[in-house]
Structures are given as C-alpha cells and as structure tokens.
Amino acid sequence: MSTKDTPSVDSSEEDIPLSKIIKRRKSKGVDSDEDFTIRRRRSTPRKKANIKETKKPKAKTKNSVESDDDIPLSSLTKNKMNNKNESTNAKTKEDKGEQSENDNGGENNEYKWWEGDFDDSIKWTTLEHSGVLFPPEYEPHGVPLKYDGEMVKLNAEEEEIAGFYAHMLETDYVKNPIFNKNFFDGFRSVLTSENKKRILKLEKCDFTLMYEYFQKLRDEKKNMTKEEKEKIKQEKLKMEEKYMTASIDGRIEKVGNFRIEPPGLFRGRGKHPKAGCIKKRIRPEDVTINIGKTCKIPDPPAGHSWRDIIHNNQVTWLATWEDTVNMTPKYVFLAAGSSLKGQSDFKKFEKARELKDYVLDIRRKNTEELRDSDLLTRQRATALWLIDKLALRAGNEKGEDEADTVGCCSLRCEHIELAENNTVIFDFLGKDSIRYYNQVEVDKIIHKNLKEFKKGKKKDEPLFNLLTTASLNKYLTSLMPGLTAKVFRTFNASFTFQEELKNTPSDGTVAEKILAYNRANRQVAILCNHQRSIPKSHDTSMTKLKEKILMLKYEKYLLRLELLDLVEEKTFKNRPEITEMESDLDDDVIARKKIEKEELELKKIEQKKIKLEQTKSESQESKKVDVEKDSNSDEESSPKRKKKDLEEPRKKTKLSPERLEKKILTLKNRIENMKLALTDRDENKTTALSTSKTNYIDPRISFAWSKLHSVPIEKLFNKGLRDKFKWATSVDANWSF
DNA sequence: GCTTAGACTTGGAATAATATTT
DNA sequence: AAATATTATTCCAAGTCTAAGC
C-alpha cells in the first residue's frame, strides 16, 4: 500500500492527534511559502485546540444562564428536582399515550402554531428532555486477525478498530486508497508495541475471519423467530422511549437524533482526505446538554458526568458534541415534524415566495449589470445568472482537508468549457461529490463574460476571482431583506414544480395524475441535480414489469377472441378499445405467453392439489377428479406456433358478452396503469426525487394539487412527510405559490 | 473589514420495515 | 415460510449562512 504518498504523518508524530498536526502544518505553510496564487481555498481547520484529557469546562454560550453552575453536577443529578419544574415530568407519560398514533390531526388538542404569530428569536421558554442515548460498550469477540497467513490475537481496542474495517470489506470504501491509508494509520496507532512491530502492511492483513463472524451473527439474528425478534424490539423500544420525546413549552414533541453516533470509520464522500479516519467513541464527558433552567437535568450514565449543562433558549438543539474526525459540532435536534422545524420550514417557503415579487426587477437589473463597466459587478451578475437559471448552489470556499467540490462562487476555470453557438459545458463535482454535467446554450453576453473571466487564468484558478458567497449574499440582501443565494434554489424549485403541474390531465385517471405529479417532481430534481445511483435491481425489475404487462395483454387478447366468437365484430365498429390489437403482441409473444400461462395454471393446480391433500384427506378423491379435468384441458408441445394454431379454440371463460366486455375494459385499465408505472420508474432510475420533495418544493403546492385533482395526499406524501408538512394541510385547492 | 465558530438545512446511502413473489 | 423487491426511515456527511471575535 502507498506509504510513499503520506507526507503528513511521519513516525515521530504518531501519538499526536492528526488534527493538531494538520493545524501546525497549515499555519506554518501560510506564514511561509506555498502556492496561494489567488485566494484559493480557505485554509480551513475548524480546529479548536482540542486538549484531549484536560477537558476545560468550556466557556458558556452567550445566553446560557448561570444559576446552577456552581452546584456540583453529581448532586444535581441525584437530587431529584422533580417538583420544581412545571408539571411536565409527570404528565409526560399520559400525553405520549394518547397522541401516539394520530397521523393527521385526528386529535384537536395539537398545537397549531401556523394559526397564529410566532416569534422565533427565542426558541423556547421551557425545554425538558432526557439527554442522549449512548451506544453500548464494546464487547470483544476474540476472533483474530490473520496477518501474513498467521493468526494475531488482538486486544479489545485493537479488535474493535479492526472490526470497523472488517465490517466494510464488501463495500467500495476499501477500494479507496485514501480510506485504506487513513484506516491503517489509525489502526497502527492503537496497536500494542508488539503488534505494531508485526503488523506493517494493510495488504497482509486478512480480516475475513472477522467478516465471516459478523456475517454469522447477522444470519443468526435474521433466523430468530418472530417472537424473539419482537421481544428484542420491545426491549429496545423501552430503553429508548424516554429519549424519543422532549417537552418544549409544555408540549410533547419528537426528538430527531437522540442517539450518539457510534464509533467507526469516517465515511467521507468522494475524495475526502479524511475518509477512513477513526471516529472515536463519544463519552458523556464530551457532551453538552442544553435544557430549560428549571428542568431536571438528565442523568448521565453511571460513573460519568456531562461535559457541560447550558440553558440557551436562542438555539434549538438539545445536546451537542464535537466530531472527532473533522472537529465540527454535532447536534441533537427535534424531529422534522416538530413545531420548531415546521416554523423555520414555513419561513423558508414564505421567503422564497417573497422573492416572486422581486424577481423580475432583480433579473432586469442583473441583465444590465452583465454589461457593467466594473469587473466585480459583471462577475457578480454572471454568477447570479447561473444561480438563478441553473439553480447552482452558492459555493462557499472549502478547506484543504475536505473533498474538492465546488458551487457557483467557487467554480474554477477548468469547470467550464466554452463551445460554439454560445454553448457552455459545465462539468464539476458539487455537493457530496455528485457530478454536475450540463451543456447549455446561454445568452450571448453570458458566454462573452465567461470567456473574459477565463482569459489569462490557469485552469485551477477561480472563475469569479473577485466574488465570494459573503459578498454576493450581502448584495442580495440589499435587494430584498433576507435574500441569499439558496433562496433562489427554493424559489425556482417550487415555481418550476407549480408550472410543471399544469400538465396534469384534469380528466385523467388517478394513476395518470400521479405520473404527471412525479414528472413535475422529476423536473425539479433534474434542475437541482439530485442524482442517485441506479438501483441494482433496476434492469431485472424492468423486464419483469414488461413481461407482466405482456401477460395482461395476452389475457385481454384471449378475452377478445372469445367475445368475437359470440358477437359479430361489426357490433364494435366504433369501439376500438374492444377491438384494437395490442401493437407489441406479435405471434412470438403470444406463443410465449401462452406457454407461460399454462405453466402458471399448472402450478396453481399443483398447489391446490397439495393443499387439498394436506387438509381434506377424506374427500380427496372427488376433488382430484376436478383438478385433473382442468389440468389436461390444454396440452401444448412446441413454442413455435403459427397464427392458425394460436387462434384455435381455447379454454373459455363461458361468460356472457356483457361480462366479457367489462372484463376487457378492466384489463385495459390495468394495462394502462402498469405502463404508466413502468415509464415512471424508468425515467426515474438516476434521479432522486426525495430531496426536492422534502426540502425545496413548497408542500402547499402539493396539498392544493391533491385537493384540486382529488388525489389522496397519501399517494404523494408518506407518513413522515405528512407529519413534517402538517402546517400546509389546510390550504385551499386554488392556493398558489 | 476579515476570519471562522456555530447552528442549522440539505443530501445520498445504508438500513429497517413492509409488501410481494416464490 | 422463505426469498426478494420496494418503500420508508435513519444515518450522518456536507453544504449554507449568521454573527462572534479579532
């Protein structure tokens, strides 16, 4: 493995946290030499001195109110302060019981914040919760590592880290050299000196014994009986119950992520320089709790204490800790359906709607500024054009220890190519290292400007060298209060969606309408470049669906033949829905389907037989006769059939013409629906609809559409989304974004 | 003024739950 | 009833943006 390309850590530094090393290098680098031609990326580190064991009790956040601070934690936690805090504690259980499973405002005692005003500078007045849930302590399993063909016994710490890697053996992560290097460095740093001497190369490590052991555990778990599984589930639920809700201003609301992230290997996306680094176990001593001043402080796990307790009601988080890989803060927030999240969601969409009233003026002005004499103005105008037209993200600067991805303001010359006919080709990695590739014909002036901005620059220099997200946003806010780059994305997404929905066939079936809805959704997802990897089973499920449709068509064809046997064809002169032959149902297909159908029927009969034998052994005889009569009704030999053979009389349904006609129509309907579903799915294979649905499209558009077209909202929003967007439920059918 | 800590939204993948097929 | 496919939920990484702090 590549020990060669590892300049960052030499052996002498082995025991110093990586973050420290990087920080040191960085400051050295900035002071002295280094490239830094034009302000390239921010020389980041989110550092923080990170004094590991001598944890200083950290300064209080601005609003944290003193009061309890001088009392030792231990006495606070033991000393039940129950009575002091307003009722909530006792009430909790009852409330939970009654509101548990009301999906959609069945209960009316719910807090409908959207029916009144709300102030959101102060997020809460009382806040009570149970803190966070820690993952279980590590339990060693004793499965050894094989190194260079020999067994190596690992101690618990070593084994845990090795296990992290073993778990990922089947993933693509282990194909990533950066990941491997970071992991191996981390692994070696926990090895005992004896093992460290021995374990020198990752390629010689064989984790398969552990992998197989984990696999075995998984299988065992899977093979447990239903009852055992249920019991475990119940126990888990009981453990977690108290963490799942919080009481905010006396109301019980759901908490989102109350679980502390378990230790593991950092799964950075794309070419993240830290991919594979060890994410250390978080302890109560790392966790700060934010809670109402008079509320009971949750008990930390036995023998432990919290890092800090604060009472900051200007923020919404309940707990925080620092991620050990990137030194970034992590938070526990309320769930998406909570009032706090709902309010800010509502605000977000209202802000985007506000832009509607400004956008024409802004665009007009911007168009002028594209030709401004000032270079900065021209850059800004061009960038804004991209943000507005192509829904690009703002593009903050990124650090050296992050994956190299860009957004609008951080685009570099290498990311765009200027082609003929005012065409620009965008090709860069955006958020999550998702590729943005787009070939667009742009206004002449845009093309001209981009050409100008590229001129004389190297490919790795910034395209908009005079622009930053901060300056752009500052300018935007001067045009409209609270306007920032991301508002454009929200605005354009919602607006596009509403426009696209106008293609809904108002006299279509529900399935057709849903297809139109999903198509509109998909247009937005494409605009926002929300991509996903093609599901593994896409091809198979596609052909399967096609076959299914063909089978239905074949059955319809059979019914039609039967009908035309009974009734003169001319009766249906003006009824193409009855007489029309399916275009893709040729002889071969018919032959194939015929056989399939027979096989299917045979199988059914077989099963029926088995069942009969099992259940009614005494009346077996008489039934069997029936079955046999059925099964030998048609015998087929060769799949090669000529039309003549196909049309020869077949097993009939013996239904009346009226019934046959009706059956044909239902079948036709089913076929249509399936075809729609198929198209929908195929068009969707690389597009992720969920992100735009959850974050960009104003839910009121969907609720209004649902009412206007009488499509049940359940077909559009799953339970989670309905809960998240309950504030939008009551819009009028004619509501407009 | 500039940098960056901090808080919050946005994002695709992984995993769990459920539905469907065998 | 087990295997598989599909959908919903959870996970946690990676953005945006504000304001604290110099």
Side-chain angles (χ1 to χ4, degrees), chain A residues 345 348-349 689-696 721 724-725:
Chain A
D345 236 23
K348 172 182 75 185
F349 288 117
L689 300 188
S690 59
T691 301
S692 49
K693 215 179 201 176
T694 17
N695 300 303
Y696 287 104
L721 283 180
K724 170 176 164 130
F725 293 138

Side-chain angles (χ1 to χ4, degrees), chain A residues 13-21 47-58 157 186 189-190 278-287 307 322-325 327:
Chain A
E13 290 175 336
E14 246 157 13
D15 294 321
I16 307 169
L18 192 58
S19 56
K20 254 186 173 172
I21 295 166
K47 51 102 223 174
K48 186 166 264 183
N50 188 332
I51 302 148
K52 236 173 43 180
E53 42 279 353
T54 55
K55 194 117 336 128
K56 59 163 181 233
K58 189 192 182 179
E157 193 187 6
S189 75
V190 302
I278 295 169
K279 233 172 81 162
K280 298 212 186 84
R281 184 176 290 270
I282 301 298
R283 307 247 166 237
E285 286 72 14
D286 304 316
V287 177
R307 173 180 185 143
E322 193 173 70
D323 174 60
T324 65
V325 173
M327 306 302 158

Side-chain angles (χ1 to χ4, degrees), chain A residues 186-203:
Chain A
F187 183 42
R188 274 181 50 82
S189 75
V190 302
L191 291 179
T192 59
S193 57
E194 192 189 342
N195 278 338
K196 201 184 250 173
K197 265 181 247 158
R198 194 164 167 198
I199 298 174
L200 299 170
K201 283 183 181 294
L202 180 60
E203 303 88 274

Side-chain angles (χ1 to χ4, degrees), chain A residues 206-222:
Chain A
D206 182 355
F207 298 90
T208 48
L209 288 177
M210 278 189 208
Y211 177 79
E212 281 158 8
Y213 171 75
F214 296 143
Q215 209 62 27
K216 201 183 84 193
L217 285 187
R218 248 184 55 176
D219 289 349
E220 276 168 15
K221 205 171 151 196
K222 215 174 67 184

Side-chain angles (χ1 to χ4, degrees), chain A residues 25-189:
Chain A
R25 305 230 149 178
K26 204 131 289 161
S27 47
K28 220 183 345 186
V30 168
D31 282 352
S32 57
D33 50 282
E34 244 40 19
D35 47 47
F36 301 139
T37 34
I38 311 187
R39 298 165 328 138
R40 274 192 64 186
R41 327 217 194 102
R42 176 186 7 145
S43 68
T44 179
R46 303 205 83 124
K47 51 102 223 174
K48 186 166 264 183
N50 188 332
I51 302 148
K52 236 173 43 180
E53 42 279 353
T54 55
K55 194 117 336 128
K56 59 163 181 233
K58 189 192 182 179
K60 252 168 278 310
T61 323
K62 55 185 174 189
N63 267 60
S64 82
V65 192
E66 272 73 21
S67 83
D68 299 330
D69 292 311
D70 33 12
I71 307 170
L73 265 186
S74 52
S75 68
L76 257 186
T77 47
K78 281 190 191 109
N79 170 14
K80 304 285 176 233
M81 304 162 67
N82 278 349
N83 308 339
K84 231 169 109 180
N85 55 60
E86 58 281 281
S87 64
T88 40
N89 219 12
K91 225 166 65 181
T92 306
K93 273 165 205 152
E94 305 158 17
D95 283 2
K96 235 178 285 173
E98 59 191 52
Q99 69 154 222
S100 57
E101 203 56 283
N102 75 5
D103 178 12
N104 185 16
E107 303 282 339
N108 277 344
N109 52 10
E110 207 178 355
Y111 171 47
K112 296 186 174 158
W113 54 264
W114 55 93
E115 287 178 353
D117 292 337
F118 56 89
D119 162 28
D120 72 338
S121 59
I122 290 182
K123 310 290 185 179
W124 47 265
T125 47
T126 68
L127 175 65
E128 183 164 31
H129 58 87
S130 304
V132 292
L133 179 62
F134 289 88
E137 286 298 321
Y138 183 68
E139 284 180 29
H141 46 66
V143 178
L145 170 74
K146 228 196 259 175
Y147 188 78
D148 208 6
E150 287 174 35
M151 300 296 183
V152 183
K153 176 92 176 89
L154 302 175
N155 69 29
E157 193 187 6
E158 298 168 328
E159 182 191 288
E160 183 180 15
I161 309 285
F164 294 157
Y165 193 82
H167 269 295
M168 297 169 91
L169 243 37
E170 294 277 270
T171 71
D172 283 348
Y173 289 104
V174 299
K175 295 176 189 158
N176 174 356
I178 305 169
F179 187 93
N180 285 337
K181 185 197 172 313
N182 285 330
F183 160 71
F184 196 60
D185 288 352
F187 183 42
R188 274 181 50 82
S189 75

Side-chain angles (χ1 to χ4, degrees), chain A residues 448-505:
Chain A
K448 183 172 164 248
N449 283 358
L450 291 174
K451 198 169 182 178
E452 180 202 349
F453 304 152
K454 268 187 96 168
K455 199 170 175 188
K457 286 184 196 159
K458 297 198 183 95
K459 65 187 177 104
D460 60 345
E461 290 182 55
L463 186 66
F464 302 115
N465 57 310
L466 301 177
L467 196 65
T468 63
T469 52
S471 68
L472 175 64
N473 281 338
K474 199 176 161 202
Y475 168 71
L476 291 176
T477 304
S478 78
L479 301 179
M480 177 189 118
L483 183 61
T484 61
K486 86 192 261 282
V487 180
F488 278 87
R489 236 167 114 83
T490 314
F491 164 74
N492 279 128
S494 286
F495 188 79
T496 302
F497 186 65
Q498 187 168 78
E499 288 302 303
E500 290 288 324
L501 276 186
K502 291 179 179 161
N503 296 325
T504 310

